[in-house]
Amino acid sequence: MWMAQRKISNTLALAVLGLLREQPMHPYEMAATLRERHKDSSFKVNSGSLYDTVEALVRHGWIEPVETARDGRRPERTVYATTELGQGEFVRWIDELLRMPVAEYPKFRAAVSYLGALGPDRAAEALVERAGHLAQRIEETNTVLADTVGSGKVPRLFMIETECALHAWEAELAWTRRTIAEIRDGSLFWPKVEQTEQGWTWSAPTSPEGTTR
Amino acid sequence: MWMAQRKISNTLALAVLGLLREQPMHPYEMAATLRERHKDSSFKVNSGSLYDTVEALVRHGWIEPVETARDGRRPERTVYATTELGQGEFVRWIDELLRMPVAEYPKFRAAVSYLGALGPDRAAEALVERAGHLAQRIEETNTVLADTVGSGKVPRLFMIETECALHAWEAELAWTRRTIAEIRDGSLFWPKVEQTEQGWTWSAPTSPEGTTR
DNA sequence: CCCCTAATAGTAGGAACCGACTATACGGTA
DNA sequence: TACCGTATAGTCGGTTCCTACTATTAGGGG
């Protein structure tokens, strides 16, 4: 009926193209390399998806098989390399992803949409737990950065997405903590919702700026 | 081969459960209501997915059809309502999503991973464009907040996820601007990668703290 | 030297997801 | 009044994605 509305959308393909810029590889090796370099926190590396993605890239002519070897009686490995076309698209794709922010739908924001459903106490409690996990993740990531970039093993530019993630998590942590505080001191007013014949109404805050002050 | 490893995962189901807490509805009305309330920036409202999701919720017994009406010769509408079970799961699900941060893979971070591939000038240029779009989106969102919560039409708690998103975008904008500055003043060193017989090497920065100072 | 686990490499089947499409009704307008 | 665009309500079919599974080999402890 029609075709290929907009290239390949899974960013795992971006990772594949990036790796094949360095040297030809077989898919399993790609997955292993991505994990080694901690790129698996930026790309969802899933063996099933990986093989599908590689096939899609071949269909589009962005990469091509260069060799199928077999080591003993292990499964046959197909080694792929990029094409000129693939390298061009790689750069164009990165450029486009950087330039245009696209709508994303993080699970956390979905849950925050219905924060009200938990009631103030349970909501605050849940956010406290999240804050703890976030703080821990931030600390772990700082450790990773320290013994890769920090110790000069890897140039900073090669781990720049980790700094980006760190910044995002720190912001989320800050928002979470601020919101906990606002729930606790009552400055985030928690309306009581009631159904009347006219529809839904909610109680208004008793004073203009929050209840307590 | 087996079943239901982990309840329903699409957060659109959360939105459905949230809406049905207020009153029974048919799917089309859910979509319309979500858009009216600006919840479509937290949930990906797609008619295809919506009907699939509703069916899945029925299969799990979280919601149930209560009526199938027909208005003239328009398509038949099936109206759904939540069940006790559904309401319980709704709250438990929100609680879980809030407590445990899960790995997400935003497209931007994937692209940032390969920022190096663009070269410093093009990378900076792309980030500048993104910063512009982000600033605009932030402004628009502020406008939306102003004439919903700001004018007292809607309690702040009901739009809290918008504040959350705003905070995240502001952080991303800040990181983007800082990174642009670092690229421009040379403090984000851009190594030149070369392939030798030993593998890959990259030029080290000429002075301990960045090249220029 | 044998067993067990981890690593190696990939396959297969189904669920989830999404975009395009269908079909009717309604309101304005030329 | 004939036409056109938009709102209503939902269906359909294919791609994408992912979970579980298969099969082999290397390595290490007992």
Side-chain angles (χ1 to χ4, degrees):
Chain A
M1 200 168 299
W2 63 304
M3 274 210 46
Q5 83 284 23
R6 202 89 201 92
K7 67 173 101 182
I8 289 168
S9 63
N10 192 336
T11 53
L12 188 50
L14 202 69
V16 170
L17 289 169
L19 288 170
L20 294 188
R21 230 162 34 126
E22 298 175 27
Q23 52 173 289
M25 275 189 203
H26 55 102
Y28 186 88
E29 192 183 351
M30 296 174 201
T33 308
L34 288 174
R35 267 187 281 270
E36 241 175 46
R37 300 188 185 171
H38 306 277
K39 296 288 179 193
D40 56 337
S41 53
S42 302
F43 301 96
K44 186 158 204 167
V45 182
N46 183 316
S47 70
S49 313
L50 179 57
Y51 288 89
D52 285 350
T53 298
V54 164
E55 253 175 86
L57 284 169
V58 172
R59 276 201 306 277
H60 285 257
W62 296 12
I63 67 174
E64 58 192 8
V66 289
E67 172 196 8
T68 61
R70 156 163 304 193
D71 209 357
R73 205 160 313 148
R74 293 232 197 89
E76 214 173 50
R77 298 169 317 179
T78 305
V79 176
Y80 298 88
T82 26
T83 61
E84 289 277 315
L85 179 64
Q87 282 314 297
E89 292 296 329
F90 175 65
V91 174
R92 251 193 299 285
W93 191 6
I94 293 169
D95 191 271
E96 189 191 308
L97 287 175
L98 289 177
R99 279 174 199 277
M100 261 316 258
V102 294
E104 315 236 20
Y105 305 89
K107 309 236 178 233
F108 180 54
R109 209 186 303 158
V112 168
S113 296
Y114 287 102
L115 193 66
L118 290 193
D121 295 344
R122 192 165 172 194
E125 207 189 307
L127 290 178
V128 166
E129 187 175 328
R130 183 183 198 85
H133 289 300
L134 281 176
Q136 195 186 332
R137 183 190 288 196
I138 287 169
E139 206 191 337
E140 286 163 7
T141 306
N142 270 318
T143 306
V144 169
L145 271 183
D147 58 52
T148 50
V149 179
S151 58
K153 284 192 210 112
V154 179
R156 184 176 159 216
L157 181 63
F158 294 5
M159 292 286 280
I160 194 73
E161 77 283 3
T162 307
E163 290 183 26
C164 182
L166 209 43
H167 197 81
W169 296 334
E170 273 159 3
E172 191 182 302
L173 179 56
W175 184 86
T176 302
R177 286 188 172 144
R178 203 186 62 194
T179 303
I180 294 166
E182 288 188 30
I183 294 173
R184 289 200 171 139
D185 72 13
S187 56
L188 174 55
F189 177 67
W190 220 274
K192 273 143 201 53
V193 177
E194 281 172 83
Q195 192 164 25
T196 67
E197 339 73 62
Q198 303 304 321
W200 291 79
T201 46
W202 43 79
S203 57
T206 51
S207 86
E209 294 293 318
T211 34
T212 52
R213 162 92 341 161
Chain B
M1 202 165 301
W2 67 307
M3 272 210 44
Q5 83 285 26
R6 200 90 204 89
K7 69 173 97 185
I8 288 169
S9 63
N10 192 335
T11 53
L12 188 50
L14 201 71
V16 170
L17 289 169
L19 288 169
L20 295 188
R21 228 165 34 129
E22 298 174 28
Q23 52 174 289
M25 274 189 205
H26 55 100
Y28 186 88
E29 193 183 351
M30 297 175 200
T33 308
L34 289 173
R35 267 187 280 270
E36 240 175 49
R37 299 185 184 172
H38 306 278
K39 297 287 179 192
D40 57 337
S41 54
S42 302
F43 301 96
K44 186 156 202 168
V45 182
N46 183 310
S47 69
S49 314
L50 179 57
Y51 288 91
D52 285 349
T53 298
V54 164
E55 253 175 86
L57 284 168
V58 172
R59 276 201 307 276
H60 285 256
W62 295 11
I63 68 174
E64 58 191 9
V66 289
E67 171 195 8
T68 60
R70 154 164 308 194
D71 207 357
R73 205 159 314 150
R74 292 230 197 89
E76 215 172 51
R77 298 168 318 181
T78 304
V79 176
Y80 298 88
T82 27
T83 62
E84 289 278 316
L85 180 63
Q87 282 315 295
E89 292 296 331
F90 175 64
V91 174
R92 253 193 300 285
W93 191 7
I94 292 168
D95 191 271
E96 189 190 309
L97 287 174
L98 289 177
R99 279 175 200 276
M100 262 314 259
V102 294
E104 314 236 22
Y105 305 88
K107 309 238 176 227
F108 180 53
R109 211 185 304 157
V112 169
S113 296
Y114 287 103
L115 193 67
L118 290 193
D121 295 344
R122 193 165 171 192
E125 205 189 309
L127 290 177
V128 166
E129 188 176 327
R130 184 183 197 85
H133 289 301
L134 282 174
Q136 196 186 334
R137 184 192 286 197
I138 288 170
E139 204 192 338
E140 286 163 8
T141 306
N142 270 319
T143 305
V144 169
L145 270 182
D147 58 52
T148 51
V149 180
S151 59
K153 286 191 208 111
V154 178
R156 186 179 157 213
L157 182 63
F158 294 4
M159 292 286 280
I160 194 73
E161 78 281 3
T162 307
E163 290 182 25
C164 181
L166 211 42
H167 198 82
W169 296 334
E170 272 159 2
E172 190 181 303
L173 179 56
W175 184 86
T176 303
R177 286 187 172 145
R178 204 186 61 195
T179 303
I180 293 165
E182 288 188 30
I183 294 173
R184 289 200 170 141
D185 72 13
S187 56
L188 173 55
F189 177 68
W190 221 274
K192 273 143 201 53
V193 177
E194 280 170 86
Q195 193 164 23
T196 66
E197 337 72 64
Q198 303 303 321
W200 291 79
T201 47
W202 43 78
S203 56
T206 50
S207 88
E209 294 293 317
T211 33
T212 52
R213 159 92 347 159

